[in-house]
Structures are given as structure tokens and as C-alpha cells.
């Protein structure tokens, strides 16, 4: 939505930010300008990207794929594969729907009408979709452990209960990161 994830990635390579929404691109442009960072901003569709075949070494996507049904995810993965160089890497970040604090906090917010995001589908590792696109899942890792409690900032007592419960259950973090290879 804002380009913040791309902003904090290393500056040791050329960045291309693509979004179908011109407003999202404008927000990202302002953010990059504010921090004096460079990037290429493209208004375009991730299902038909305006790039030549085998353009990129890395394709990065966070907070997007989970909003699409399986057929659309496979279509997006085929498109990522098309623009990815041989031996390139795709990195996808999706919410960890197995994180109990995240799931319950999100559910309560949604029921209360305070959920600002479009519908999300629950994906664990996209293994079948990745295989269907002729790609290979190399790694699934869950990160951002402390952020799972932020979903409960609106109710501190329950947030504290989850933090205590973590000592017993060792909850997983909020973000699932998938490393995918084109071989």
C-alpha cells in the first residue's frame, strides 16, 4: 500500500515498484522521495506485467497474494516466473494464518467493522500452487513474532494473556515468508 517494505530493502539493486492503483504508486513515490531513495514506479497489473521475459533476478511480493483465489495465485506465479531470470528467486510474504493471536485479533477487528483490508484467503505455504506454476518452494519461514501482539493493542488485557500464553504455546509470528526458485 505504501511501498515501505520496498523502501527498507537493500539499496544495492534497482527497485521496480508495480501496482495497479495509481494512488498507491503516488504514495510510494512520496515515501521514496522523503527518504531520498531511488526506484522505478510502474502502474501495471501483476497478472500482465509490462516487462520482457527474464528481466529480474528477484521478484518480491508481500501482502498481495493472499487476497486472490488459488487459480489467480497460480496465474500470478506464472507471470512472476515469466519475468524472472533462470535461477532467479521469488520472495512472497503472506500473513501466517496459523498464528492464533493474529487470527483472533483480526477476527475481532473484522466483526467490529474495523478491518481495513480486502478479503484474505488462508494459505500455508502455496506448495501446490508453486508446483503448478513449474516453480520450486525452497523455504518457508515465519518471522515477526512480536508484531502478532499488536493486533490486540485495542484490548491490552487480552494482549497480555496472549503474551503469557506464548510462554506455554510458543505462538508463531505474523509473517510467513516463502522463498521460491525458478530453476
Amino acid at each position: 500500500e505504501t511501498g515501505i517494505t520496498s523502501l527498507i530493502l537493500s539499496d544495492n539493486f534497482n527497485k521496480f515498484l508495480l501496482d495497479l492503483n495509481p494512488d498507491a504508486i503516488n504514495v510510494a513515490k512520496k515515501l521514496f522521495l522523503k527518504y531520498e531513495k531511488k526506484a522505478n514506479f510502474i502502474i501495471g497489473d501483476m497478472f500482465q506485467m509490462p516487462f520482457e521475459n527474464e528481466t529480474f533476478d528477484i521478484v518480491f511480493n508481500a501482502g498481495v497474494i493472499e487476497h486472490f483465489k488459488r487459480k489467480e495465485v497460480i496465474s500470478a506465479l506464472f507471470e512472476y516466473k515469466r519475468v524472472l531470470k533462470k535461477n532467479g528467486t521469488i520472495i512472497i510474504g503472506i500473513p501466517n494464518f496459523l498464528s492464533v493471536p493474529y487470527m483472533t485479533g483480526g477476527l475481532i477487528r473484522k466483526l467490529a467493522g474495523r478491518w481495513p483490508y480486502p478479503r484474505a484467503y488462508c494459505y500455508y505455504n502455496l506448495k501446490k500452487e508453486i508446483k503448478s506454476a513449474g516453480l520450486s518452494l525452497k523455504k518457508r519461514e515465519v518471522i515477526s513474532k512480536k508484531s502478532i501482539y499488536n493486533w490486540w493493542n485495542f484490548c491490552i488485557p487480552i494482549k497480555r494473556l496472549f503474551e503469557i500464553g506464548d510462554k506455554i504455546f510458543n505462538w508463531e509470528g505474523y509473517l510467513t515468508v516463502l522463498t521460491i526458485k525458478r530453476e
Side-chain angles (χ1 to χ4, degrees):
E1 265 181 43
T2 63
I4 189 73
T5 307
S6 297
L7 178 81
I8 62 176
L9 292 174
S10 171
D11 292 325
N12 294 333
F13 55 89
N14 293 325
K15 297 177 187 180
F16 289 79
L17 282 73
L18 177 125
D19 200 295
L20 191 57
N21 183 342
D23 294 335
I25 290 294
N26 287 331
V27 168
K29 281 181 182 179
K30 289 175 186 173
L31 181 68
F32 272 70
L33 185 62
K34 177 180 177 179
Y35 290 97
E36 299 177 352
K37 302 283 186 170
K38 293 181 182 176
N40 301 283
F41 301 93
I42 294 108
I43 298 169
D45 187 339
M46 74 175 189
F47 296 100
Q48 295 178 320
M49 291 189 272
F51 305 113
E52 298 292 324
N53 294 348
E54 299 184 13
T55 299
F56 301 105
D57 295 303
I58 297 172
V59 172
F60 174 77
N61 175 304
V64 177
I65 285 289
E66 69 271 13
H67 298 290
F68 294 93
K69 294 179 181 177
R70 291 190 187 286
K71 286 175 94 174
E72 296 166 310
V73 169
I74 293 168
S75 179
L77 289 169
F78 268 111
E79 183 64 0
Y80 298 168
K81 178 182 174 183
R82 182 187 71 76
V83 301
L84 189 66
K85 292 179 182 176
K86 285 182 177 54
N87 296 314
T89 302
I90 300 169
I91 300 169
I92 295 179
I94 56 175
N96 177 18
F97 292 102
L98 295 180
S99 171
V100 174
Y102 165 73
M103 282 180 23
T104 54
L107 178 63
I108 300 289
R109 286 173 175 253
K110 188 174 185 174
L111 292 173
R114 294 175 24 195
W115 188 252
Y117 308 108
R119 177 177 182 186
Y121 297 91
C122 298
Y123 295 115
Y124 176 73
N125 62 13
L126 298 174
K127 200 173 203 173
K128 290 179 185 175
E129 295 80 4
I130 291 165
K131 185 175 181 178
S132 293
L135 296 161
S136 177
L137 176 64
K138 294 299 179 182
K139 187 176 183 182
R140 176 192 182 268
E141 60 186 316
V142 179
I143 63 171
S144 196
K145 173 115 177 171
K146 291 184 179 180
S147 71
I148 59 175
Y149 305 114
N150 294 343
W151 292 94
W152 280 100
N153 281 341
F154 64 93
C155 186
I156 300 303
I158 293 177
K159 177 181 178 177
R160 297 287 181 248
L161 281 174
F162 273 119
E163 290 171 336
I164 292 165
D166 184 43
K167 294 177 187 337
I168 299 166
F169 298 107
N170 192 24
W171 311 117
E172 288 190 347
Y174 158 69
L175 188 66
T176 299
V177 179
L178 307 173
T179 304
I180 304 161
K181 292 294 281 183
R182 176 182 177 193
E183 298 168 351

